[in-house]
Each structure stands twice: as structure tokens, then as C-alpha cells.
Amino acid sequence: MESAVKQYSGKLINEYFRDYFLTPPDLTVSSPGRINLIGEHTDYNNGFVLPAAIDKSIEISIKKRTDNLIELFSVDKNEAFSVSIDRLNVSGLLWPDYILGVVDELIKAGHKFTGFSAAVTGNIPIGAGLSSSAALECATVYALNELFGLGIDRMGMVKIAKLAENNFVGLQCGIMDMFASMMGKADNAIRLDCRSLDYEYFPLKICGYKIVLLDTQVKHSLASSEYNTRRNECFEGVRLIQQKYPSVQSLRDADEQMIEETITNPVIKKRCRFIVQENKRVTEGCKNLLAGDIYAFGKQMYASHTGLRDNYEVSCKELDFIADECSKEKDVVGARMMGGGFGGCVIAIIKEEAIEAIVKKISKEYKIKMGQELKVYITQLHKGTAAIN
Ligand code: ADP
Ligand code: MG
């Protein structure tokens, strides 16, 4: 069973920094990856999500320079990239862009600072839906904020990190990933209201159980085009509802009654119904967590998966297979596909003592039926972005 894509070789990032730049760093920052317990596709509908930071992270060691050069080194890629701070451009290597994007947004926001040297490493599996990119952006913005005393608060840093991904990297993601990485708290999930950005911590009292990620290792090419289609279907639903209920600004404001009354197109109808129900599941799920009833919470997770499969239609046979196998196991409290869909991970809550046997069984079946290896990550909920020694 694998706990990370890359295990640190025992050497710390500040040591890599020293070996590469021949001087010790001023500062090292760690920023975690994230999971989302429930609340899928609700973010761009101004609804609720329930993410949490996990014990896999990106680490960056950084040192001020007296000139305008930005010198970057990736331990994991064994690649370097340099650019002058007043001539930022897309690197062509991808990984530097997440760092440079943050620099670009800070400059646009009016912050002034010199060049710097930085080395990065991490153990968040890339592209598995655990948001390694957001962790890299959050680590960077936190490090630069500390290093140059920019005085930005955590929510301000979340916004800079998101804009870096939107503008420099060019991905129109929402704010959840950066929010979770920056604001995480050990043993807590965070309910985020994607409209107001209000948030509340919910302790995940799951003693004897663990959050397990079952990585299908597939990513169907439909993912990004279908994502855009779903967004548009939801916005079309809002437009139709507004004709009778003008106060509805997003599906966050709608209920099932309104959908029944105003939408005739069966596809738009079931997309909208899913979002309304998913928002309710987040609210109910939080009540379940407060009551310490993880089995009730698990039911919400299974219901979320069913909705994503049948109404929102963003699952795939690999995700369905794993969620279905999980549902047959009494020691799996709940399971659902996590992320945009068409691949990535199933998130499951499993009784600790049963994890090994269940994972072994599902992996074997998955290999036989789907012809793929299953990757498994066991996670703990961790604190957000922070400086480390
Ligand atoms: P994810 O779902 O993990 O966020 P993305 O495709 O959005 O996947 O972001 C992954 C990218 O983030 C990688 O291609 C790489 O450029 C960058 N990245 C992630 N982890 C590291 C790392 N340890 N070192 C350097 N760059 C990283
Ligand atoms: Mg990403």
C-alpha cells in the first residue's frame, strides 16, 4: 500500500536548498493537499463544500536575493528555472508557473519585493485530485508574505493563490483548493460557503476509522469539456428559474419545487436537482458530524455518489466500480467519487482494522474487472499552510 507518490529520501528540503544554492534558506514553508468530504460541483453554483487539509504536502525553502532574479529548483523534477522579476513569463516547464503566477499576482496587487531563490519538493500525488497545484501556490504565497513582510492575511493569500492559477497557469478553478490548503486544521473539516466565503470548522470525530483514497488511476478526456457543459447547464437552469423567481441568483437559492415548476428540459432538470440536493447533503452532513454520527455522514456520501452518477452524470465505470464495492462492505462507512469526475479518487471512510483486507480485496477485483492497478492513500486531517523548522 502506498502512502505517497514520492517518499522523501530522508533529506529535508532545506538541505536540498543548501546543496543546490550553496547557502542556507531564510525560511521553509509547508502547505498541504486537500480532500473534499462532500459538496461536489457546488462551488461554482455558489453553494457549500466540506474540504479538509491532509498530511501530504508541498514544501518550499526560500531565501531573499539582493537583485531581481528569481531562481527556482524542483527537487522532484531535478530541474531549475530562472527569470528576472520584471520580465516574468510562462516557463515552458509548468511547475515554475505556479510559483511565478503567485509573484505576478502579488505584483499586480501592488506589493514590492526583490528576487529570491527557492527549492520545492512534495509528496502529494500529482493529478489525483488532491490539489498539489494549490498546495504549491499556497506554500509560495505564504513564504513570500513572510519573507518580505507583505502583511497579507490568510484569506488574502488564498485569493492571490487562486488568481495565480486562473491567470498565469490559465485554469478557471474555484477557490476551494487554495482555501483548504491554507485554512486547514488538524482533525477538522471546513464547511465553506462559496458565496460569502464564510466558513466553519467541523471536528471529524472518527476515532477507529480512517479516510482512505482509492485512486482509479484513470482520467478520461471528457473531464474538462463536460465540466464546462455542466456549468452551462446549471447557469441555464438558473436563467429558467429566474423567469418566475427573479430573486434566485444561483442554484444555491433554488429548491426542488422551483425546479419542478420552471424547468421542462429533463437534462437541465436533473443537473439542477443534483446541486440542490448536494447542498442539502453538506448541511445535513455537518449536523451528522456535530452529532458524532459518522454512519449517518457516510450515508450522505453514498447518496452524493449516486447523484453524481445518475443525475449529474460525471462518474465513470472505474469510480462506480469502486464505490459499489465499498458499499458492499459493512466496515466502509461511506464512499463517493471525489473531484470533477471522469476519473481520480474515490474517498471512503473505513474502519481502521478492516482497511488492509478491504483494500486488498477491492484492488484485486479492480485489476480483474477494470484492468487497472488501484493506488491507495491513507490520510489524516492536517493543519494548513505553515512555516516549519
Ligand atoms: P492536482 O490535481 O494535483 O492539483 P494539477 O495538474 O492541477 O494536479 O497540478 C499538478 C502540477 O503541480 C504538476 O504538473 C506540477 O507542475 C505542480 N506540482 C505538483 N507537485 C509538485 C512538486 N512536488 N514539485 C514541483 N511541482 C509540483
Ligand atoms: Mg490542481
Side-chain angles (χ1 to χ4, degrees), residues 17-78:
F17 184 100
R18 194 171 332 171
D19 289 353
Y20 186 80
F21 293 109
L22 304 174
T23 175
D26 294 333
L27 177 75
T28 295
V29 170
S30 174
S31 197
R34 65 105 191 90
I35 52 168
N36 185 25
L37 284 157
I38 198 160
E40 216 58 79
H41 288 276
T42 45
D43 56 347
Y44 53 84
N45 287 298
N46 276 338
F48 297 99
V49 290
L50 191 63
I54 58 171
D55 56 345
K56 301 195 187 309
S57 58
I58 296 282
E59 292 180 355
I60 185 165
S61 281
I62 196 162
K63 188 184 182 79
K64 265 186 206 171
R65 291 178 58 95
T66 49
D67 57 16
N68 276 345
L69 197 65
I70 298 174
E71 272 195 301
L72 307 173
F73 174 60
S74 160
V75 173
D76 307 334
K77 307 259 176 197
N78 195 23

Side-chain angles (χ1 to χ4, degrees), residues 40-41 128-129 213-220 223 302 305-306 308-309 313-327 335-348 362 366 370 372 374:
E40 216 58 79
H41 288 276
L213 298 164
L214 305 153
D215 187 349
T216 60
Q217 301 228 68
V218 300
K219 192 82 210 167
H220 297 291
Y302 280 126
H305 185 83
T306 305
L308 287 159
R309 184 190 64 201
E313 295 179 290
V314 291
S315 190
C316 61
K317 65 179 194 305
E318 293 86 355
L319 288 165
D320 289 342
F321 180 80
I322 295 169
D324 196 44
E325 289 297 302
C326 284
S327 71
R336 64 175 202 89
M337 57 156 275
M338 188 179 80
F342 305 103
C345 289
V346 165
I347 176 172
I362 296 180
Y366 186 65
M370 300 288 132
Q372 294 276 352
L374 188 69

Side-chain angles (χ1 to χ4, degrees), residues 255-273:
D255 60 30
E256 291 194 56
Q257 171 76 27
M258 292 175 184
I259 293 169
E260 291 309 318
E261 277 176 44
T262 58
I263 303 174
T264 48
N265 179 316
V267 173
I268 308 272
K269 202 176 209 166
K270 62 182 175 180
R271 306 292 191 245
C272 294
R273 207 187 283 138

Side-chain angles (χ1 to χ4, degrees), residues 58 74 76 94-95 98 120-122 125-127 129 131-133 136 165:
I58 296 282
S74 160
D76 307 334
L94 192 56
W95 64 267
Y98 298 93
V120 291
T121 187
I126 289 173
S131 279
S132 63
S133 63
L136 179 52
E165 183 129 359

